[in-house]
Amino acid sequence: MVEVTLAEIGALTQRALTAHGADEWIATEVTRAVVEAEATGNKICGLYYLESYCQQLRTGRVNGTVEPVVSRERPGFVRVDGKLGFAQAAFAKALPDALAAARENGTAALAVGHTHTCTSLGFFTGQIARAGLIALGMTNASPIVAPPGGKTRVIGTNPIAFSVPDGQGGVAMQFDQSTTTVALGKITMAKAAGQSIPEGWALDVDGNPTTDPTAALGGSLVSMGGYKGWGFGLMAEILAAAMTGSVFSRDVKPLKAPEGPPHNLGQFYMLIDPSASDDFGARMVTLAESVTQDEGARMPGQGRTLAETVMVPDALWDQLSAMR
């Protein structure tokens, strides 16, 4: 393992993305997401994805030069067409309008359509919270989850995230998870490492529980809490695909495949202005005190700090450093 700083990760990521065809400002937005993922220990959404980003820039699965188009069709509804580019760039273009709409109306929706995978949803909801608003976000992904009682993949891991502001430019609570028992990336990482997976994560192609990551990737992942998680995942599918005009999970090819059609995925965010409540801040303090009264208990995301340096496998760092 090699210890590297966040600045080094940022410089490497920016350089690799621009070398493979991304415009500077677009590469900067994606780099911010990669750096935050590494700094928070979210390895699956960090450097793990960089080679894929670069390959897909070269093959055209993602457009690194397109300008997202933002429209505000109704007072409380903002839409951005990502034009098959990076989700980070589309979100960045639309965020000012979405924040303004929520502050004017109390609530607002932001529909992000036709983009590359957004990887970590918390990266986006956290930005909304740091701007002082409550955020709920969701997205869909390539199909890997069958409905309860079925074997045919219908939806993706379909994450949901929410973030709450602390009133001081920070985040009081942040929750970000897939609607499956585990994220798909953990299965693929286990396969690459030659490791088994815990029972309860996945089913094989015949619908039987498996601890073999290869069999899991050929089968389906298990929704968290069974039909309860399935319901959340299905709602994420409805909002992320049907409300944004993007594709349903069933039509998305594997996200990291170097070639193939663009992802064309969507994300959907709800923004809520807490100033609509006269005592929101005080009530959040009361709630947090209740949650943390026992030693070791905390609000989700509370106390999370960004690491200044992170450990990266030597082979991965060498491979990414050599990308031109």
Side-chain angles (χ1 to χ4, degrees):
M1 301 287 279
V2 58
E3 184 176 12
V4 295
T5 66
L6 296 186
E8 289 174 312
I9 291 173
L12 181 149
T13 302
Q14 182 84 16
R15 182 173 65 249
L17 291 170
T18 54
H20 286 78
D23 282 353
E24 283 286 346
W25 80 269
I26 293 173
T28 296
E29 294 301 327
V30 179
T31 295
R32 287 178 57 227
V34 170
V35 169
E36 181 173 307
E38 288 290 337
T40 56
N42 184 5
K43 298 294 186 181
I44 294 172
C45 296
L47 290 172
Y48 171 74
Y49 250 99
L50 181 55
E51 180 187 22
S52 174
Y53 291 154
C54 292
Q55 289 176 332
Q56 293 175 4
L57 280 165
R58 283 280 168 84
T59 63
R61 276 203 83 185
V62 59
N63 189 328
T65 62
V66 72
E67 189 76 16
V69 177
V70 180
S71 59
R72 187 167 167 185
E73 301 164 0
R74 299 183 183 183
F77 190 87
V78 177
R79 183 187 301 277
V80 56
D81 182 350
K83 299 290 186 180
L84 305 179
F86 283 106
Q88 293 86 350
F91 181 87
K93 279 290 184 182
L95 182 59
D97 284 331
L99 294 174
R103 289 171 180 143
E104 291 168 14
N105 297 284
T107 63
L110 169 58
V112 180
H114 313 299
T115 70
H116 196 262
T117 179
C118 68
T119 56
S120 173
L121 266 175
F123 171 74
F124 303 93
T125 59
Q127 292 180 64
I128 295 170
R130 287 189 288 274
L133 303 181
I134 300 167
L136 171 65
M138 56 203 71
T139 188
N140 60 341
S142 50
I144 194 64
V145 183
K151 295 187 293 184
T152 302
R153 299 172 173 183
V154 177
I155 65 173
T157 54
N158 291 16
I160 294 177
F162 43 88
S163 301
V164 179
D166 64 5
Q168 301 173 21
V171 180
M173 183 183 79
Q174 180 153 310
F175 199 78
D176 181 4
Q177 68 166 58
S178 64
T179 52
T180 49
T181 300
V182 68
L184 179 60
K186 289 193 175 181
I187 306 285
T188 57
M189 291 177 79
K191 178 183 177 182
Q195 300 171 344
S196 62
I197 60 174
E199 188 168 328
W201 281 14
L203 307 175
D204 64 20
V205 70
D206 296 317
N208 300 312
T210 183
T211 60
D212 180 352
T214 300
L217 294 172
S220 61
L221 300 192
V222 175
S223 296
M224 62 174 184
Y227 69 88
K228 296 179 181 179
W230 164 257
F232 279 112
L234 197 59
M235 194 65 207
E237 184 81 10
I238 291 168
L239 293 177
M243 283 296 292
T244 67
S246 305
V247 296
F248 288 110
S249 291
R250 68 180 189 184
D251 298 320
V252 181
K253 302 305 178 186
L255 297 182
K256 292 192 73 178
E259 297 182 340
H263 293 174
N264 196 12
L265 290 167
Q267 303 96 50
F268 192 85
Y269 301 91
M270 286 298 304
L271 295 79
I272 304 168
D273 188 349
S275 68
S277 169
D278 293 335
D279 58 353
F280 177 81
R283 293 181 68 81
M284 275 298 297
V285 170
T286 299
L287 177 60
E289 290 174 347
S290 298
V291 170
T292 59
Q293 61 184 312
D294 295 329
E295 185 177 356
R298 62 181 179 85
M299 295 282 279
Q302 185 182 51
R304 186 177 69 171
T305 57
L306 301 182
E308 294 182 3
T309 63
V310 299
M311 303 303 294
V312 179
D314 293 277
L316 176 61
W317 186 253
D318 291 343
Q319 175 195 22
L320 297 178
S321 297
M323 293 182 68
R324 295 289 186 271

